[in-house]
Amino acid sequence: MVEKLALGAMLFGTATDERRSFEILDRFVDAGGVWIDTANCYSFWEDASGFGGQSEAVLGRWLASRPGVRDRVRISTKVGCEPTEAGRFPETAEGLSAGVVKNGVEGSLRRLGTDHVELYWAHKPDPVTPLEETVAAFDELVSAGVVGRLGCSNYPVWQVERARQIARADGRVGYTAVQQHHTYLQPRPGTRPTVVHRFGAVSDEVIHYLEHHPDMALWSYTPLLSGRYTRADKPLPAEYDHPGTTNRLAVLDEVAAETGTNRNQVVLAWLTGGSTDVTPIVGVSRVEQLDDAFAGVSLDLTADQRRRLDEAA
């Protein structure tokens, strides 16, 4: 099941220095990991320049220093969120015009030191550029052989479907994956997790759409709430302060005790073992955290444990 885990490289080259990033990447590949997720804007908010590209650059140097490893990994990267003016995000986000998409993938390939990526994402909706233009620009990348599959992140469901309709009508390649925030706990009704974009959280509508479109895959970002399931020094945000959280955590602890694991591992097992195809993206700062994540996606829950987790809320 290790292929079901994507390594989140968001903080490589900024909060996580290059030496530690290389250690994590080496361990990931040695353990059988395949997918590495990044973006052209990672991590502009962590860098003094106010612009991104550091993560892709570190990945590129790692790939260059490990002959043959490029054939063992698949790279997922994104375009659309890089600010065009430092310190002014999201109002100056680059968007998804044809020119931005073309320049974005060229920059990503240059930093990564590769001639293709296996999955390319529209990072967030562009309120200005027509969907037709974005769909055509992404299709051209597939036709050119520099991109394998296409996905969209933080999109409302109607826009996902509309973009796919346009692609079908025009004979173009469309999105076959969505990347949203998805985890076991749910925020209080009427709120949304502070870690996501406006349409970034997985909802019942998203799950319903995926259930009826089996060609679509779900990638889940921040599935472990940045350590808040297990770290006492990182309390849950206010939007999780409600009875549903209490109920879910109680069952989570029960199942963790029964399996001899911890909350993080049970959450990852719950995500990857259900009826919806989910690839969790886990960002780590230490090799030990990566090993814990691998144990989670390899954990098999019983039907009774999954039922109790599902019904806890």
Side-chain angles (χ1 to χ4, degrees):
M1 286 291 289
V2 293
E3 68 276 3
K4 290 297 296 180
L5 181 74
L7 177 62
M10 182 171 70
L11 296 178
F12 288 0
T14 49
T16 304
D17 65 30
E18 187 157 319
R19 179 188 64 82
R20 182 65 59 83
S21 299
F22 277 31
E23 288 178 357
I24 293 168
L25 287 160
D26 287 342
R27 174 58 182 159
F28 181 72
V29 172
D30 289 344
V34 175
W35 281 104
I36 303 170
D37 183 74
T38 186
N40 69 332
C41 68
Y42 292 163
S43 289
F44 68 83
W45 59 93
E46 292 281 350
D47 195 80
S49 70
F51 298 103
Q54 298 81 15
S55 173
E56 290 180 333
V58 165
L59 286 173
R61 290 191 289 273
W62 174 73
L63 290 169
S65 67
R66 307 293 194 269
V69 78
R70 180 65 183 93
D71 295 332
R72 299 169 59 190
V73 299
R74 298 176 184 174
I75 297 174
S76 153
T77 193
K78 314 176 192 74
V79 65
C81 277
E82 172 73 346
T84 57
E85 294 182 35
R88 296 190 63 213
F89 180 87
E91 62 269 28
T92 70
E94 62 188 345
L96 294 168
S97 68
V100 165
V101 171
K102 181 177 183 295
N103 292 336
V105 76
E106 289 175 353
S108 290
L109 295 177
R110 182 176 63 252
R111 286 185 291 273
L112 290 164
T114 188
D115 61 0
H116 71 286
V117 293
E118 283 76 13
L119 182 49
Y120 200 47
W121 304 87
H123 205 157
K124 75 180 187 72
D126 180 349
V128 177
T129 304
L131 277 175
E132 289 80 0
E133 180 177 340
T134 299
V135 168
F138 271 78
D139 170 77
E140 288 178 9
L141 302 182
V142 178
S143 298
V146 298
V147 168
R149 289 175 59 198
L150 302 174
C152 55
S153 181
N154 304 304
Y155 269 50
V157 174
W158 76 264
Q159 210 162 15
V160 176
E161 176 59 18
R162 178 64 183 137
R164 280 160 54 86
Q165 287 178 356
I166 292 169
R168 285 193 297 269
D170 294 345
R172 302 185 186 278
V173 177
Y175 300 133
T176 58
V178 293
Q179 185 174 143
Q180 313 287 102
H181 170 60
H182 187 35
T183 187
Y184 181 59
L185 294 183
Q186 299 295 312
R188 184 188 310 110
T191 67
R192 76 170 189 262
T194 54
V195 298
V196 304
H197 296 261
R198 180 181 179 188
F199 299 106
V202 163
S203 62
D204 285 344
E205 185 179 14
V206 173
I207 296 298
H208 185 262
Y209 184 83
L210 294 170
E211 289 172 346
H212 289 270
H213 295 84
D215 63 317
M216 292 289 285
L218 171 61
W219 284 45
S220 163
Y221 67 78
T222 326
L224 300 178
L225 295 176
S226 303
R228 289 179 172 86
Y229 279 105
T230 57
R231 290 180 53 176
D233 63 322
K234 299 185 76 173
L236 290 166
E239 62 265 21
Y240 293 99
D241 184 12
H242 61 87
T245 294
T246 304
N247 296 341
R248 288 197 170 207
L249 288 179
V251 177
L252 202 59
D253 287 337
E254 288 176 8
V255 175
E258 292 166 6
T259 54
T261 60
N262 58 40
R263 288 177 176 178
N264 283 347
Q265 291 182 25
V266 175
V267 169
L268 291 175
W270 178 79
L271 284 169
T272 55
S275 57
T276 301
D277 180 24
V278 181
T279 298
I281 307 167
V282 176
V284 302
S285 58
R286 302 193 312 275
V287 169
E288 297 78 13
Q289 295 170 329
L290 184 59
D291 292 339
D292 191 61
F294 276 132
V297 297
S298 300
L299 174 65
D300 290 323
L301 300 175
T302 67
D304 177 67
Q305 288 167 341
R306 180 166 293 280
R307 178 190 59 77
R308 285 151 52 203
L309 288 164
D310 289 342
E311 294 177 357

